[in-house]
Amino acid sequence: MDHLGLWLAGLLTLGIYSFLYRDNPWYKVSEAIFVGVSAGYWVVYEYWQNFVGKFWDQKGDQPWLWIGAALGLMMLMRLIPKIGWISRWPLSFIIGATSGLWLMLYLTTNCIAQVEATIFPLFGADFDASAIAIFSNFVLVAGTICGVVYFFFSKAHTGAFGATARVGIWTIMITFGAMFALTIMNRMSLLIGRTSFIFGEWLGLLR
Amino acid sequence: MRREIPLGITIFVGFLAIVSFFSPPLEALGEDFTLFFDIIAVFAFFLGGGNLVRIHANKLIKKKPDWIYSIVALLGFFVMLAAGLFKIGNPGDISTSVTAPGSLFAMLYYNLNLPLGSTMYALLAFYVASASYRAFRAKNREATVLLLAAFVILLGSTPFGTVLTSWIPDSFDFLEIPNLAVWIMSSPNLAGQRAILIGIGLGVVSMSLRLILGIERTYLGEDRG
C-alpha cells in the first residue's frame, strides 16, 4: 500500500509539473483529483472536528450550541430558492459578530499595538544607543509615519503632505520588495522539497 | 421583513460583541460566537461540497467540454467522503480516529492531497520567476527601490552574498550584504509593515462600523423570491 501511495504521489506530482509544458490531460487528471480529494478532505475535517467535536459531543453540557446548529441549518435553505432568503439570517449573524469582534481585535492589535510599538526612545533608554541604532530608529519611526500618511486618501497628496506621502511610498516599496523576496524564497524551498521527493523518496536517486 | 430582520441581527450581534469586550460577565460571548462560527462553517462546507457535486454532475450530464475530468473529481470527492465519514478502510473499530495511521483516509491525504497541494504551490515558483523578470525592471524610482530591497534580501540569504562582501573591513561590517539584508528587514521593512498594519486596522474598524450601523448592506444581496 505504501509503495502504491508513493507511486501515486510521484506520478501526480509530475502531472502537476507537466503544466509547465502546457495544459494537457495528465495535468487535468491530477488537477481534478486534487479538487475532488481536497474538497472531500475539508468536508470530512469539518464534520469530525467541528460538528462532532464542538457540537454533537458538547450539546448536552452546552445547550446553547443548538443556536449555532439552527443557524447552520438555515444556511442550507439556500438550496431551496423559495425560502433561500432565510440563509441571510446566519449570514447576518456571522457579519455582525465578525464586525463586532474584529473591530475590537484590530483596534487593539493593529492600530494601538503598532502605534505603541513605534513610540520608544530614539536615542536609547539612557541615551546610549550607537549611531547606527539611532539612524535605524529614525528610519523606523519616520517610515511608519510617512507610510500612514500615504494611506490618508481624503487629502490631496500635494506640497509637504505629498512629499511625506512620497517617502511613505518608498518605505512601502521596500516592504513589498522584502515580501517579494521572502515569497520567492518560500516557493523555492517548496520546489526544492518536491524535487527532493521525486529524486529522493520516490526514485531513490538521492541518499 | 426579508431585509429588516437580517439587518437587525447584524446590528444587535455586532453591538453585543463590542459590549462583551468591555463587560466581564459577557466576556465568554466572544468564545461562544467563535464556536457558532465553527458550527455554521460545517454547514457552509456541506453547501460547498453539494455545490461541487451539482456543478460537476451538471457538466457530466450535459457532456460539456472536459466532462471526463468531472468523473475524476467526483470520484475523488466521494472516495474521500466515504473513507472519512464512514471510516471505510479504517484499522480497528468505528471508535478509531479517522486519521489513525494506516487508515484509507490518512493514506489518501498523505499520498494525494498533501503532495498535490504542495506541488501546486511549488509550481508557483516558476511563475514567481517570470513575475520577477517583470518586477525587476527599474522603470521608475519606486520600482528601483523595490528591486534593490528584494535583491539585497535575496542575495543576503545566500552564501554568495556573504562571499561577495567578505573583503569589507570589520569597522564597516554593516555594509556587508547579509547585514544590510537584516537591517532592511528590521528597519524600513518593519516601518512599512507597521504602516500597512495600521492602515488595515483603521480600514477594518471603519468597515465594521459601517456594517454595525447598517450603512453597508451589500452583503444582503438583492430580493429575488
Side-chain angles (χ1 to χ4, degrees):
Chain A
M1 201 66 168
D2 279 354
H3 211 63
L4 174 76
L6 194 66
W7 272 84
L8 266 175
L11 289 172
L12 291 174
T13 300
L14 286 185
I16 297 289
Y17 278 139
S18 70
F19 186 71
L20 289 170
Y21 170 59
R22 66 174 183 200
D23 203 7
N24 63 77
W26 191 9
Y27 171 76
K28 282 179 181 168
V29 168
S30 311
E31 188 197 31
I33 291 174
F34 180 51
V35 168
V37 166
S38 73
Y41 169 78
W42 282 109
V43 170
V44 171
Y45 176 86
E46 286 289 324
Y47 175 75
W48 288 111
Q49 194 74 19
N50 289 342
F51 186 76
V52 175
K54 291 181 180 170
F55 168 65
W56 200 253
D57 291 346
Q58 316 287 331
K59 66 184 188 310
D61 303 326
Q62 298 165 306
W64 60 88
L65 290 180
W66 281 102
I67 301 170
L71 287 168
L73 275 175
M74 284 179 190
M75 190 71 121
L76 294 182
M77 296 300 135
R78 193 164 274 257
L79 294 170
I80 311 163
K82 272 202 164 176
I83 49 168
W85 54 271
I86 294 178
S87 68
R88 282 178 185 164
W89 293 21
L91 194 68
S92 302
F93 173 81
I94 294 173
I95 299 275
T98 311
S99 304
L101 294 173
W102 280 23
L103 189 147
M104 299 315 298
L105 187 78
Y106 275 81
L107 196 66
T108 49
T109 59
N110 275 39
C111 302
I112 297 171
Q114 296 305 321
V115 171
E116 199 181 356
T118 313
I119 301 169
F120 63 99
L122 290 172
F123 299 93
D126 296 313
F127 292 94
D128 55 353
S130 65
I132 293 172
I134 293 168
F135 175 69
S136 301
N137 290 346
F138 268 98
V139 168
L140 181 58
V141 174
T144 306
I145 294 168
C146 295
V148 173
V149 165
Y150 172 67
F151 286 124
F152 196 81
F153 298 118
S154 29
K155 187 173 166 19
H157 288 185
T158 49
F161 189 80
T164 313
R166 190 125 208 99
V167 178
I169 295 177
W170 290 345
T171 312
I172 289 162
M173 278 299 163
I174 292 176
T175 304
F176 287 157
M179 281 178 182
F180 191 65
L182 293 180
T183 308
I184 292 175
M185 284 193 277
N186 284 337
R187 297 283 179 256
M188 283 300 165
S189 97
L190 263 177
L191 182 66
I192 292 164
R194 295 318 297 159
T195 313
S196 122
F197 164 77
I198 291 173
F199 291 107
E201 270 179 76
W202 182 35
L203 300 175
L205 296 173
L206 297 176
R207 297 274 171 229
Chain B
M1 289 304 276
R2 290 180 181 185
R3 297 177 74 85
E4 283 75 12
I5 293 178
L7 205 61
I9 294 174
T10 306
I11 295 168
F12 175 71
V13 175
F15 271 115
L16 205 62
I18 295 172
V19 170
S20 76
F21 191 83
F22 298 101
S23 162
L26 292 174
E27 231 169 25
L29 207 65
E31 282 169 33
D32 287 340
F33 281 169
T34 315
L35 258 178
F36 288 177
F37 290 164
D38 290 341
I39 296 166
I40 296 170
V42 179
F43 292 91
F45 269 91
F46 284 157
L47 201 65
N51 216 19
L52 180 102
V53 172
R54 195 176 59 87
I55 287 168
H56 282 285
N58 195 26
K59 210 170 157 185
L60 203 68
I61 292 163
K62 290 185 179 165
K63 293 265 182 340
K64 286 185 180 174
D66 285 346
W67 60 272
I68 199 99
Y69 303 110
S70 290
I71 300 176
V72 180
L74 287 174
L75 204 69
F77 181 68
F78 285 119
V79 168
M80 201 68 176
L81 273 193
L85 295 183
F86 306 115
K87 296 189 175 177
I88 294 170
N90 237 35
D93 58 1
I94 194 80
S95 61
T96 318
S97 167
V98 72
T99 50
S103 69
L104 180 63
F105 184 76
M107 192 284 242
L108 288 171
Y109 175 72
Y110 287 112
N111 294 314
L112 295 182
N113 199 17
L114 202 64
L116 279 170
S118 39
T119 313
M120 278 284 185
Y121 277 108
L123 192 68
L124 292 180
F126 294 95
Y127 296 101
V128 162
S130 142
S132 313
Y133 172 71
R134 288 183 187 85
F136 282 12
R137 274 184 297 185
K139 281 185 283 188
N140 51 39
R141 253 181 277 179
E142 285 81 19
T144 313
V145 171
L146 187 144
L147 180 145
L148 281 174
F151 192 69
V152 169
I153 288 165
L154 279 175
L155 210 58
S157 315
T158 61
F160 185 63
T162 314
V163 173
L164 207 65
T165 47
S166 57
W167 53 271
I168 293 177
D170 283 351
S171 46
F172 291 100
D173 64 350
F174 59 90
L175 289 174
E176 285 178 15
I177 287 180
N179 294 339
L180 272 180
V182 170
W183 181 79
I184 287 175
M185 288 304 287
S186 60
S187 281
N189 166 58
L190 188 61
Q193 297 265 16
R194 276 187 187 166
I196 292 169
L197 283 174
I198 293 168
I200 291 172
L202 292 173
V204 169
V205 168
S206 65
M207 192 62 196
S208 297
L209 278 174
R210 282 175 64 85
L211 284 162
I212 293 168
L213 297 174
I215 300 165
E216 180 66 51
R217 300 172 182 202
T218 44
Y219 65 93
L220 292 173
E222 286 170 20
D223 274 321
R224 266 181 255 159

